[in-house]
């Protein structure tokens, strides 16, 4: 049995409008952040700072505020080494 697979890739560039560029940048940053977030963490808010460098360049800074429970439950074994007595001497030797 002979199988032949032919694939063709055509790369086309197109300019994004400002709204598309901002949306695409936010999506890419969200995917990267999501891959680094620990299980159970959640994104509380997203703040964008958009700067236009020239007619073809937009810089998008996104700040993601996340909430993560960092508490760790541990069991401590309290072992008292001795008891304090009320008739101990003071530091003056009295």
């Amino acid at each position: 049995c002979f199988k032949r697979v032919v694939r063709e890739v055509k790369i086309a560039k197109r300019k994004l409008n400002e709204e598309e560029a901002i949306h695409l940048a936010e999506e890419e940053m969200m995917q990267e952040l999501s891959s680094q977030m620990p299980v159970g963490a959640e994104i509380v808010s997203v703040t964008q700072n958009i700067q236009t460098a020239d007619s073809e360049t937009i810089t998008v800074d996104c700040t993601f505020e996340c909430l993560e429970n960092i508490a760790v439950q541990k069991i401590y074994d309290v072992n008292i080494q001795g008891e304090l007595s009320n008739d101990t001497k003071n530091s003056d030797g009295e």
Side-chain angles (χ1 to χ4, degrees), residues 5-23:
V5 177
V6 177
R7 291 192 177 114
E8 183 178 328
V9 176
K10 191 177 213 179
I11 298 174
K13 291 184 178 184
R14 71 176 180 95
K15 289 186 177 183
L16 302 174
N17 65 34
E18 185 175 334
E19 186 177 309
E20 291 173 325
I22 292 167
H23 182 71

Side-chain angles (χ1 to χ4, degrees), residues 22-64:
I22 292 167
H23 182 71
L24 181 63
E26 186 180 77
E27 275 186 13
E28 287 180 7
M29 286 184 256
M30 182 71 80
Q31 288 176 356
E32 185 176 334
L33 175 68
S34 296
S35 69
Q36 297 174 13
M37 287 177 53
V39 176
E42 69 178 271
I43 298 172
V44 178
S45 68
V46 178
T47 305
Q48 294 178 343
N49 181 16
I50 302 163
Q51 298 175 348
T52 304
D54 56 43
S55 63
E56 294 186 11
T57 305
I58 296 174
T59 301
V60 180
D61 294 321
C62 288
T63 303
F64 296 91

Side-chain angles (χ1 to χ4, degrees), residues 81-92:
Q81 296 295 324
E83 294 183 19
L84 295 175
S85 66
N86 292 333
D87 61 345
T88 57
K89 295 182 181 179
N90 64 22
S91 62
D92 293 337

